[in-house]
Amino acid sequence: MTQPAYLRIADDLRRQIVEGRLAPGARVPSRHALARQHGVSDRVAVEAVRLLVSEGYVESRSGSGTYVRERPSVRRLTRSWYRESRGRGSSPFRADMEVQGRAGKWRSSSETAKASPAIAERLGIGEGDPVMCTRYVFLADEQPVMSSTSWEPLELTRGTPIMFPEDGPHAGAGVVARMRAIGVDITTAEEIVTARTILAAEAELLDEPIGSIVQVIRRTYLGDRPVETADIIVPVDRYEVAYVIPV
């Protein structure tokens, strides 16, 4: 019981929301009711509710009260190495959206940059070596699904038709198909999945509230060497990630 009172109240409300006892659209008890129930001041109750607002669990309506936030239906993103390895120029994301009956597309921008220490380690290159950095926002029926930032070593792609991932004859293809076009065979895809609180810039791109939780998929494609690495950001309240692994 060393936890501050407002955190205990917030955790109790959060548990009720997660378990469905406070359903989407339900009104959250007033600050006076919460204060009486937990034996605290109104100020402490207000802090608890503010925390849940920042986390995206509830929303305040002026002159009405605080309500459990309506959650969008959760859809599935399939991470299928088998499907991508068989692809001949198609985008795995677009294929995933087609299965769901949705139109998948993306916005992107590319620029040359210097590899940070972390990216250099992931690509097996020197710190400060030139890379092509491409930032994506993926859309389904014009709604943001996820964002991604990828890095490719320029020593591998400079002067080739795939130097700019979204420009040229192989624009829109997956990484496997693009690399195959310059004679590089990808044999392994490594993905490390973690979770964290969304960053402000990500919240704006993905139309998510500050405080939301996102999955971070740190992906690296390898052949004889690492050829591309990316950080993929997926909001957990809208998408679950499923892995299909051939046996």
Side-chain angles (χ1 to χ4, degrees), residues 138-241:
F138 293 87
L139 309 166
D141 294 339
E142 303 298 331
Q143 298 300 310
V145 172
M146 62 184 180
S147 66
S148 174
T149 303
S150 72
W151 298 268
E152 297 177 354
L154 274 176
E155 64 176 285
L156 180 66
T157 63
R158 191 191 302 275
T160 72
I162 69 163
M163 177 177 169
F164 291 93
E166 298 301 322
D167 190 19
H170 303 285
V175 177
V176 173
R178 288 180 50 250
M179 290 296 169
R180 188 184 294 126
I182 62 169
V184 176
D185 288 326
I186 293 175
T187 57
T188 306
E190 176 187 88
E191 294 195 347
I192 299 171
V193 183
T194 59
R196 59 167 169 77
T197 305
I198 199 168
L199 303 179
E202 295 165 348
E204 184 176 356
L205 281 176
L206 298 173
D207 194 24
E208 283 284 308
I210 295 293
S212 297
I213 302 300
V214 292
Q215 296 175 77
V216 181
I217 303 172
R218 193 176 76 191
R219 181 196 68 205
T220 302
Y221 281 121
L222 306 97
D224 295 333
R225 53 165 291 178
V227 300
E228 188 257 15
T229 193
D231 288 339
I232 303 165
I233 309 299
V234 183
V236 300
D237 65 345
R238 282 186 273 168
Y239 287 89
E240 62 183 12
V241 178

Side-chain angles (χ1 to χ4, degrees), residues 16-122:
Q16 293 183 57
I17 293 169
V18 169
E19 294 175 352
R21 287 182 284 143
L22 277 175
R27 185 171 180 175
V28 176
S30 69
R31 67 177 185 273
H32 300 303
L34 288 171
R36 288 195 303 271
Q37 178 183 349
H38 294 275
V40 298
S41 67
D42 283 7
R43 181 183 61 80
V44 172
V46 167
E47 285 300 311
V49 173
R50 282 179 177 168
L51 177 59
L52 294 181
V53 170
S54 73
E55 292 176 346
Y57 282 97
V58 302
E59 58 185 3
S60 295
R61 301 176 189 172
S62 181
S64 176
T66 303
Y67 296 82
V68 177
R69 181 171 168 247
E70 295 283 352
R71 296 279 177 167
S73 59
V74 176
R75 295 178 180 267
R76 177 166 292 182
L77 293 175
T78 303
R79 312 294 297 167
S80 175
W81 168 243
Y82 177 84
R83 184 179 64 194
E84 173 138 350
S85 67
R86 292 296 187 270
R88 297 292 170 180
S90 63
S91 159
F93 173 76
R94 186 172 284 141
D96 214 5
M97 293 302 101
E98 286 176 0
V99 170
Q100 298 180 23
R102 310 176 79 196
K105 66 177 188 179
W106 53 87
R107 300 191 299 263
S108 67
S109 62
S110 296
E111 62 181 0
T112 57
K114 294 181 178 180
S116 68
I119 297 304
E121 181 177 0
R122 286 159 62 172

